[in-house]
Amino acid sequence: MKETKQYLQREYFKNNMTVLFSLNGQVHGSYTSEFVSRALKMPLLKDYLLAHVDCSNLHMAVRNELFMASRDRLKAGDKADEVRKHLRDMLLSSELREIAKRRKSSLNVDSGDAGQMLRDLTRNMPMNDALTKILRQTFDIPDQRPGTSVKKEREEPNRPRKEPRDAPPFHPQRYPSAFRAKGGDGSEGGVKVYKLPTGGSRTISFATDVENDFFDRTDDPGDMSLAIMRPSSAGGGSGGVPDPSVEGDLLNVVRTSPLDGTIKVGVRATAEMKVGDSAEIKAVLTSPQGDLVETVLVRVTDPEPTPPRKEPDVEPPLGIPELVLCSKEGGEGLKSWEEINEGGVEMGYDVVVYPLVEDDKLSRIYVNVDSKVLKDFNSGAKSSEAAEMAERRYISAVYFHTLFLFATTKSRKYDLRRGDEGDKDGSEVDLADYVSDLFSSSYAQFLLNFDTTDMLEAIA
């Protein structure tokens, strides 16, 4: 995992460039991994996502407003902000969201034992007003003063569960023989209509029988084109020919690769489309036996009203990040290194802790109980009880030091950079990577050898 990550950074992410803007093959500006972490809110992909934006067909006036003459960065201004927002919306409506969701789900763990340990650690831990103030700048810390009552979770009535329907087996074909739109909100003249709320997005699914790698395979790949047509000048579906639309001036569309018989197309209306306006999408799926064509109609409607959401009465959380313990092989209450690495988080003997940041907040702290630091310290333990006490001391020290380092550094708004040889300015470093790297040095060894009596009393 570590070697793969270093190889990707060395070969593809030159000068910490994650999103490249090019003109005629030359880079004129870029975004760092900050765009993936903050704009896309996908921190698990920041070291693996590389995007290339070809701006060769931009109008000259737009180029001059967007790029610096030095070709090293984008100009600050309304046009650059608009491009950043548009790129963010396009990526968020693509299959990238599903990839990030799968990586995030691979890090989920049933950490009942770790959660109980965290409660044991925090129950008797003294928290004065200064410490609480620092934490509340970063975390949602509830008021747990003496005398405050804790609401009990309501018991849900027992309702019969519906049995899931068995999905029909999917038999993929090398070339498609079927292609049709699924669902819809009605039809006009035999064409399915899909409602698109103003300011929102809509996913249109097409059913097919082609294999999943149809677009991506190296041997005879296929393609799917999408043509956006203006409403028919004849109107009412009476046979008039729709006028072609300039690409992107009515709808922004993004398609995915086939997945078990379904191709999804994400649709978002531009500012030119008003309530009541319609546009036709002509989808063409290539096939040696003849291209398959399906036409759908997209109509902009009023925004969907959102009913007021009633918050359930649940037990107040601790308000601080979840503690997740991990080891090389995993086990009861432990996450294995392999599972964590699959989620995009580097874990090995040299890693002590990794703070996972989601939506710019510290959501979980992964503590590695098979780190070289702890193994070296326990090699001199005289009994199993002493080794167990050292492990609990290690977990508590690493967790709380990570918590306060993250909260304090974030609240003070430090700009973190790592200097390399010959590089005066250095490269930007995420706060999570900084904290993890700090523990990988001698900091964790110092914590284990330092007398933390107060913390041990909290777990006694």
Side-chain angles (χ1 to χ4, degrees):
M1 175 69 183
K2 183 175 182 180
E3 290 75 11
T4 301
K5 180 179 177 181
Q6 292 176 347
Y7 172 78
L8 292 175
Q9 293 292 322
R10 183 175 62 253
E11 294 295 325
Y12 298 101
F13 294 85
K14 304 295 184 181
N15 300 323
N16 198 26
M17 294 188 294
T18 297
V19 181
L20 311 177
F21 295 87
S22 69
L23 286 174
N24 301 319
Q26 292 185 338
V27 177
H28 280 61
S30 64
Y31 295 151
T32 65
S33 57
E34 171 271 340
F35 176 79
V36 181
S37 299
R38 297 183 182 177
L40 299 183
K41 300 187 184 304
M42 300 177 182
L44 296 178
L45 299 181
K46 65 183 178 64
D47 294 320
Y48 305 95
L49 176 62
L50 181 64
H52 177 211
V53 182
D54 189 355
C55 304
S56 302
N57 294 328
L58 283 179
H59 193 275
M60 183 60 69
V62 179
R63 293 187 190 180
N64 294 335
E65 189 176 351
L66 194 60
F67 297 114
M68 301 282 290
S70 58
R71 301 180 181 179
D72 61 339
R73 63 187 183 276
L74 302 180
K75 288 183 178 179
D78 295 339
K79 186 61 66 176
D81 294 340
E82 183 180 346
V83 169
R84 182 183 176 93
K85 183 178 183 299
H86 180 68
L87 179 61
R88 180 200 66 190
D89 292 342
M90 285 186 62
L91 293 177
L92 287 177
S93 61
S94 69
E95 60 182 325
L96 197 62
R97 182 185 290 273
E98 294 298 324
I99 296 175
K101 186 182 297 184
R102 288 197 299 269
R103 286 211 169 186
K104 181 179 176 180
S105 63
S106 68
L107 293 177
N108 292 335
V109 63
D110 183 11
S111 54
D113 293 340
Q116 185 59 45
M117 177 181 292
L118 184 56
R119 284 174 170 80
D120 293 339
L121 291 171
T122 55
R123 182 177 294 115
N124 299 318
M125 184 176 181
M127 293 281 284
N128 58 32
D129 293 339
L131 294 179
T132 304
K133 183 178 180 180
I134 293 176
L135 287 178
R136 281 181 174 168
Q137 293 179 7
T138 308
F139 311 108
D140 183 18
I141 305 295
D143 189 1
Q144 297 287 356
R145 291 173 298 178
T148 57
S149 59
V150 179
K151 296 182 180 180
K152 296 183 179 180
E153 184 178 357
R154 292 182 179 179
E155 295 183 0
E156 295 292 335
N158 294 327
R159 297 176 181 176
R161 295 183 179 180
K162 295 182 178 180
E163 294 294 332
R165 297 180 179 179
D166 293 333
F170 175 63
H171 303 289
Q173 307 296 321
R174 180 164 179 79
Y175 299 104
S177 61
F179 184 58
R180 60 178 178 81
K182 299 165 62 175
D185 303 305
S187 62
E188 293 182 6
V191 177
K192 289 189 174 183
V193 179
Y194 295 83
K195 295 180 181 179
L196 178 61
T198 302
S201 59
R202 179 71 185 266
T203 299
I204 302 176
S205 299
F206 293 85
T208 183
D209 57 355
V210 75
E211 58 189 19
N212 292 348
D213 62 346
F214 180 56
F215 296 153
D216 307 315
R217 65 193 183 197
T218 57
D219 181 23
D220 194 18
D223 192 16
M224 176 180 170
S225 61
L226 298 169
I228 304 173
M229 313 293 287
R230 293 182 181 276
S232 172
S233 57
S238 59
V241 178
D243 300 322
S245 162
V246 178
E247 184 178 359
D249 66 349
L250 294 180
L251 299 173
N252 294 324
V253 294
V254 179
R255 67 156 177 81
T256 66
S257 297
L259 180 62
D260 298 338
T262 300
I263 301 176
K264 294 183 179 181
V265 175
V267 181
R268 182 184 292 272
T270 64
E272 185 173 331
M273 297 284 285
K274 307 300 181 184
V275 175
D277 290 347
S278 302
E280 287 185 4
I281 298 180
K282 182 180 180 182
V284 180
L285 188 65
T286 60
S287 175
Q289 291 79 24
D291 294 346
L292 305 176
V293 181
E294 181 77 347
T295 302
V296 298
L297 186 66
V298 177
R299 178 166 295 140
V300 179
T301 61
D302 293 321
E304 295 182 352
T306 55
R309 181 180 178 183
K310 184 179 179 181
E311 296 294 335
D313 297 330
V314 297
E315 180 183 355
L318 288 172
I320 53 180
E322 177 186 359
L323 169 63
V324 181
L325 303 179
C326 56
S327 64
K328 183 178 181 180
E329 302 298 335
E332 184 178 357
L334 298 172
K335 198 78 170 173
S336 70
W337 292 355
E338 183 179 358
E339 292 173 302
I340 294 179
N341 289 337
E342 289 175 356
V345 175
E346 180 183 331
M347 191 62 66
Y349 288 112
D350 295 333
V351 180
V352 173
V353 64
Y354 186 84
L356 180 63
V357 181
E358 295 177 330
D359 296 334
D360 207 27
K361 293 182 179 180
L362 183 57
S363 61
R364 298 191 192 105
I365 296 179
Y366 292 85
V367 178
N368 182 16
V369 296
D370 271 349
S371 68
K372 186 176 183 298
V373 172
L374 182 58
K375 285 185 174 296
D376 289 346
F377 185 85
N378 275 339
S379 62
K382 297 181 180 179
S383 64
S384 59
E385 290 79 9
E388 182 179 352
M389 176 61 72
E391 181 175 308
R392 292 174 66 85
R393 174 179 175 179
Y394 164 84
I395 294 172
S396 61
V398 170
Y399 177 86
F400 284 106
H401 277 254
T402 300
L403 179 68
F404 282 98
L405 279 172
F406 185 93
T408 304
T409 307
K410 187 173 185 296
S411 65
R412 303 294 291 180
K413 303 184 187 306
Y414 283 107
D415 182 19
L416 301 174
R417 309 187 75 83
R418 180 189 292 128
D420 298 324
E421 186 176 354
D423 185 3
K424 295 182 179 180
D425 297 331
S427 57
E428 185 179 355
V429 179
D430 285 343
L431 179 53
D433 292 335
Y434 160 74
V435 175
S436 179
D437 183 61
L438 190 65
F439 278 89
S440 297
S441 59
S442 301
Y443 190 64
Q445 295 176 348
F446 166 77
L447 293 180
L448 275 176
N449 289 278
F450 187 71
D451 186 16
T452 53
T453 305
D454 293 338
M455 196 167 292
L456 288 176
E457 290 178 353
I459 63 175

